[in-house]
Amino acid sequence: MPVFHGAPRLALCLLTFILACGSTEPDPTPGEDDETDKVAALTLSPNGATLLVGESLTLAAHAVDSTGQVLKNVQVTWSSYLPEYVTVTGGRLKGVTAGGSVITAKAGAASATLSVIVMPYDASRPSSREVLASAREAGLINDEELLAYQVYAAFSDPRLPPQYKARVESGFDDTTLEALRERFDTLSAPMQEALGMYLLRPDDPGSWLNAPLPDTRLISQQSRPACRASSDGWHSLSRSYAKVKVWFQVGVVTQREQALILDEALEKEIWPKLMALGLKEPLTDEAYSGCNGGSPHLDIYLMRNMTGRGLTVPEGYFNSTQAPTYILLSDSLVEFDPTDATKIKDSAPLKGAAAHELMHAIQWSYKTKDWQTRYGWIRDATANWAIDHVYEQKLQLEHDYADCFMSTPNLHLEDRSTGHCKRPGLRDAGRDYGAYLFFQFLAKKHGPKFVVDALEKLTTETSSLTAVDSVVPGKLEKAWPEFAKVLWNQAPIDTKAESFNTWDKLSEKVKSNALKGDLAGAPELKEELDDELNNLANSYDHFTFSDPNTRSLLFHNGWFKNITESKEPVKVTALWNDASGTWHEEDWSEYEYVGLCRDMKSQRAQDLIIITSNAKFAPGGGGSLKAAKTPYLKRSNVGCWKYKGTTKAAEMAPGWSGRGKILDANVEYQVLGAFATADYDHPSIPHTKRLGAFMIMPPSGDFTLDISYGFGGCNYTYGPAKYTLGTSGGVLLMNPFNELKSPDPDTQDWLSHASRAYRSALADGRIVSVAVSGRDCHGPELDSPGNILFTDSGEPSATPQLVKPNGELSGTFRMGDTTFDWTLQPQAEP
């Protein structure tokens, strides 16, 4: 407990101190009119402390003179009995290692002490919220105690039992107070008495911040405590003409400088930039005279030991659609000079938090059709957007929450669940704080006026989603897939003019399904993609390729019928780069199948990103769409640009002797150039892109004809002679994927064969003169090279050959007196 020295009328003095009014008297500048020698009593707040190793806590030293008047210019010296466990600088404690110490504050002839316990810290251990939830589940605490302990943890209240002390993962706005305000009337009388202090303004004599703990005699006997005149332990330096007053505790040495920083930021940056948008000013609190900081202006209080960054509190307990407000801002949002823990090095988070909370105060100025809290996601998202609008790239506090949204693109836009943020200290922040990205996207693309229009629409719409849909250019159906693409925020999007990286230097990347596209030795693989997508959500599938044996790609758009028949607002966008590194962006929404041939330089994708977005929404939120068929990406080692190799046809008719008739060919089959373009759509295979181009490959090459056989006493010889293969001498039919369908009967007949099927026939019809020798043999005799290659009979009942597991075309086929052998290897365009 604190130790007091000085006036014998101490109790009266403290009571006078607590009931004194708030002050806006001349600035109590440190060092001027030093009142240290007038100190009669000194109290510390809070009156106890339990810290984790590495955790900090700020103490307030309240000094009064012999009449109970609070002294503003007092020099307090601080010391720690065991600094190896706890250090103290300017009233700021820090746990060093597990143990404990006694902190002493001295001012003039008075002093006060405080016992501090330091507990071990382990980042792998559960958070305070998790510890308390587990305790409730185990029946160790009841619902009321759970709420109380959550409040104590959020405000470093020494009444929190040590066994529940753990790290606090906060959000932005301290939602524990919101929960308390909503549930307070249902709490038991003892719990109302214990927690009622948290419903009061910080400068109220009954609030939790007044030392050492609020006087229970001042707590109203009503179910909710009534406000009273402010304590003069608080002071404001704000100018009389300012629209906002910033309050700080005179007993906290670092708050005065923060108040000056806030005053300047509000006057020169935050207020004018937000008001220039045409937003409404926060409502005045003149109706709460006596409990409104002494003026109708918006009041901001710098708060000690609040784990959240801030909170905007509506005046009155039952206002639900429109209300004047006051703001709580944590005083821990600054970085202190490492050489002087009382000097501020960086105040960017403090200014950013002020912009965020001022936007909340502005939102409360609009009389919404439904309760303000029921528009939750849009309130938090636009408040974080306000930081970006005011400070742009000069201050990036909103970036802390980007990953909350980008790590969960599969969740609804309006989702407010927690546990998605990875930044230490913010893991309990709601996902909706990261939804500022949607408003940033629209504001950068179309201008910020629509944010104002959306807030205006909340006065007539009970749904924030319909409100946004009604003001977004092109409605959500157009804007959502555009946002989905920009949200990718990496190559090739991050270098474009419309990107979060360009707009705001955001480096965060949206979470994707990172998939290896290579076959890893398999002849064919098929990867099924998600077939259900939440409303106002996106999915990102990122395939990477490096193995040249992964040749043919086929994407099946399972959403095709949803889009073309059901007219559902789903869009499938593809981003892929070719062998030269050039990126391509394509809309695959209205294609049922899309192909890529990685044997071709122009289609040799190294990366393939498939973005699927669902712009549908229900006014009340939620819902999802199911794909008519499961989307997938199939890849195979079937060549799709060129095959190269050798064939041999050996004819040996009955009665022949010798070698017979031999045709050895060096042959290439290659896709026609007109079919190799990136935008090729096969006329006989509807709703496809870049498929069927390599279904028919014409040949080129040469062959050698060698005839040498005997028959009936005559010898027949020719060559060996070499010839160029005619382009009209045959064809290679390929069917790497048999999912495709065609209204053309002949095309469909071929497509109906098994995947990886192929068929080839080569022949040459030129006439050659075969020498004939022997007794009574007459010549020459006319012949032709004839059949160079048949892979099967070609009859309707014939089964075509299949590409070998290693990707080559090879085999043996006998037709009549001729045996055909061939070995062809797939080729990649150099």
Side-chain angles (χ1 to χ4, degrees), residues 414-435:
E414 73 277 7
D415 189 286
R416 302 187 69 194
S417 58
T418 62
H420 310 300
C421 309
K422 62 188 178 187
R423 187 179 179 88
L426 299 179
R427 295 190 179 104
D428 279 341
R431 180 181 184 266
D432 49 328
Y433 287 89

Side-chain angles (χ1 to χ4, degrees), residues 132 141 144-154 159-161 164:
L132 291 172
I141 56 177
E144 286 195 347
E145 290 170 323
L146 173 63
L147 175 63
Y149 295 165
Q150 287 173 338
V151 173
Y152 295 162
R159 290 176 290 177
L160 177 69
Y164 300 123

Side-chain angles (χ1 to χ4, degrees), residues 176-399:
T176 54
L177 279 190
E178 292 182 346
L180 174 61
R181 291 168 67 87
E182 290 177 4
R183 293 181 52 190
F184 187 82
D185 290 338
T186 65
L187 300 178
S188 63
M191 195 59 74
Q192 286 183 347
E193 183 174 343
L195 297 178
M197 62 189 70
Y198 284 99
L199 299 186
L200 299 170
R201 283 194 178 210
D203 60 345
D204 190 285
S207 84
W208 75 98
L209 278 175
N210 289 313
L213 278 177
D215 189 332
T216 56
R217 292 172 299 170
L218 302 178
I219 297 179
S220 170
Q221 296 305 307
Q222 303 173 33
S223 61
R224 289 179 180 255
C227 73
R228 294 177 181 266
S230 302
S231 162
D232 67 354
W234 291 80
H235 191 78
S236 175
L237 304 174
S238 304
R239 298 174 176 85
S240 60
Y241 56 82
K243 297 294 183 74
V244 181
K245 293 181 69 174
V246 180
W247 293 89
F248 64 95
Q249 282 187 282
V250 295
V252 182
V253 295
T254 59
Q255 285 190 356
R256 180 183 179 279
E257 186 179 354
Q258 293 187 48
L260 290 170
I261 291 170
L262 276 179
D263 273 326
E264 183 175 14
L266 287 161
E267 181 183 346
K268 296 181 178 179
E269 298 169 321
I270 303 172
W271 184 276
K273 287 191 176 181
L274 291 180
M275 290 300 105
L277 293 173
L279 293 163
K280 292 184 178 181
E281 291 188 4
L283 298 181
T284 67
D285 56 6
E286 57 189 348
Y288 297 86
S289 179
C291 302
N292 64 350
S295 74
H297 298 152
L298 176 66
D299 296 299
I300 296 179
Y301 297 92
L302 284 167
M303 305 295 300
R304 292 180 292 117
N305 309 322
M306 182 171 76
T307 56
R309 289 180 166 177
L311 182 67
T312 300
V313 183
E315 288 282 11
Y317 301 117
F318 304 105
N319 292 327
S320 57
T321 63
Q322 186 181 36
T325 57
Y326 60 88
I327 293 173
L328 312 179
L329 278 183
S330 172
D331 71 352
S332 65
L333 301 177
V334 294
E335 181 183 349
F336 291 96
D337 189 325
T339 63
D340 185 347
T342 65
K343 297 297 182 183
I344 295 173
K345 178 182 177 182
D346 179 26
S347 60
L350 181 66
K351 293 190 286 187
H356 176 102
E357 297 301 338
L358 180 59
M359 188 65 172
H360 277 321
I362 290 169
Q363 292 161 356
W364 275 102
S365 68
Y366 291 84
K367 186 172 180 58
T368 53
K369 187 173 179 64
D370 203 350
W371 287 11
Q372 285 264 351
T373 53
R374 293 177 182 170
Y375 299 99
W377 78 272
I378 193 174
R379 295 167 74 244
D380 293 334
T382 54
N384 258 7
W385 167 82
I387 303 172
D388 175 71
H389 177 74
V390 172
Y391 287 105
E392 298 181 326
Q393 295 183 17
K394 294 184 295 183
L395 190 158
Q396 303 284 28
L397 184 66
E398 74 278 4
H399 282 195

Side-chain angles (χ1 to χ4, degrees), residues 441-462:
F441 159 75
L442 289 168
K444 296 294 185 183
K445 187 175 178 66
H446 302 291
K449 184 179 182 300
F450 94 93
V451 179
V452 182
D453 295 340
L455 292 180
E456 288 282 2
K457 278 289 183 179
L458 299 184
T459 64
T460 58
E461 297 280 346
T462 56

Side-chain angles (χ1 to χ4, degrees), residues 612-821:
T612 309
S613 62
N614 175 10
K616 185 176 181 179
F617 70 93
S624 65
L625 287 176
K626 180 84 170 178
K629 295 183 178 180
T630 301
Y632 60 79
L633 183 76
K634 186 183 287 187
R635 27 306 173 217
S636 80
N637 61 1
V638 175
C640 49
W641 174 65
K642 178 191 287 189
Y643 278 92
K644 182 178 181 179
T646 60
T647 70
K648 182 175 183 178
E651 181 182 355
M652 182 64 72
W656 285 12
S657 61
R659 293 194 305 273
K661 181 180 178 180
I662 307 296
L663 288 99
D664 287 305
N666 296 300
V667 65
E668 295 182 0
Y669 296 97
Q670 183 173 334
V671 172
L672 288 171
F675 296 146
T677 56
D679 59 351
Y680 172 72
D681 293 349
H682 198 290
S684 297
I685 312 178
H687 313 303
T688 66
K689 188 177 186 68
R690 282 187 301 272
L691 287 169
F694 49 91
M695 189 167 65
I696 300 178
M697 292 186 184
S700 64
D702 56 58
F703 65 91
T704 299
L705 174 61
D706 184 5
I707 299 175
S708 178
Y709 63 88
F711 178 72
C714 298
N715 294 317
Y716 297 83
T717 59
Y718 181 84
K722 191 172 185 178
Y723 296 92
T724 300
L725 187 66
T727 56
S728 60
V731 71
L732 173 65
L733 298 179
M734 299 296 301
N735 186 28
F737 308 109
N738 73 338
E739 292 97 328
L740 308 181
K741 300 291 183 287
S742 174
D744 176 68
D746 292 335
T747 304
Q748 180 57 45
D749 178 66
W750 172 244
L751 291 173
S752 64
H753 289 97
S755 287
R756 304 175 69 84
Y758 70 94
R759 172 176 286 164
S760 182
L762 288 178
D764 191 280
R766 73 190 73 193
I767 303 299
V768 299
S769 295
V770 179
V772 181
S773 62
R775 186 178 180 180
D776 298 326
C777 297
H778 303 283
E781 186 172 293
L782 298 180
D783 199 351
S784 70
N787 296 326
I788 300 170
L789 175 64
F790 274 113
T791 58
D792 63 78
S793 68
E795 297 295 330
S797 60
T799 300
Q801 298 282 341
L802 296 180
V803 179
K804 292 291 190 289
N806 64 359
E808 75 176 15
L809 312 183
S810 61
T812 298
F813 174 69
R814 184 174 179 83
M815 187 170 68
D817 299 332
T818 305
T819 300
F820 300 96
D821 292 282

Side-chain angles (χ1 to χ4, degrees), residues 424-623:
L426 299 179
R427 295 190 179 104
D428 279 341
R431 180 181 184 266
D432 49 328
Y433 287 89
Y436 83 87
L437 291 163
F438 183 55
F439 292 96
Q440 185 182 53
F441 159 75
L442 289 168
K444 296 294 185 183
K445 187 175 178 66
H446 302 291
K449 184 179 182 300
F450 94 93
V451 179
V452 182
D453 295 340
L455 292 180
E456 288 282 2
K457 278 289 183 179
L458 299 184
T459 64
T460 58
E461 297 280 346
T462 56
S463 164
S464 57
L465 297 176
T466 58
V468 172
D469 184 61
S470 67
V471 301
V472 170
K475 295 189 172 293
L476 286 170
E477 184 170 352
K478 182 176 186 297
W480 187 253
E482 293 175 345
F483 171 63
K485 182 181 68 176
V486 173
L487 198 65
W488 178 246
N489 202 41
Q490 52 189 297
I493 301 301
D494 57 348
T495 57
K496 295 181 180 293
E498 291 186 359
S499 76
F500 289 113
N501 177 57
T502 303
W503 286 328
D504 203 35
K505 299 299 182 186
L506 180 68
S507 60
E508 194 72 37
K509 297 174 176 59
V510 73
K511 183 179 181 181
S512 64
N513 299 315
L515 303 166
K516 292 291 186 181
D518 291 332
L519 292 169
E524 185 173 280
L525 288 177
K526 176 181 174 182
E527 192 84 37
E528 292 189 346
L529 309 181
D530 291 338
D531 63 353
E532 187 170 5
L533 188 58
N534 284 327
N535 290 344
L536 291 180
N538 310 301
S539 69
Y540 300 83
D541 297 293
H542 183 189
F543 290 88
T544 55
F545 306 90
S546 59
D547 182 0
N549 290 316
T550 305
R551 300 177 180 276
S552 298
L553 306 183
L554 175 76
F555 170 68
H556 170 51
N557 178 14
W559 299 96
F560 173 71
K561 289 187 176 180
N562 301 71
I563 296 166
T564 59
E565 296 180 8
S566 303
K567 304 301 179 183
E568 291 172 336
V570 175
K571 189 164 186 177
V572 180
T573 302
L575 308 170
W576 56 276
N577 51 1
D578 59 29
S580 67
T582 301
W583 281 93
H584 305 262
E585 177 184 327
E586 297 177 333
D587 185 351
W588 289 0
S589 304
E590 297 191 6
Y591 292 101
E592 188 170 10
Y593 294 97
V594 180
L596 282 170
C597 174
R598 296 191 67 251
D599 284 341
M600 300 181 192
K601 287 176 62 177
S602 63
Q603 299 178 38
R604 191 170 299 150
Q606 312 302 307
D607 297 87
L608 169 61
I609 300 106
I610 301 170
I611 304 172
T612 309
S613 62
N614 175 10
K616 185 176 181 179
F617 70 93

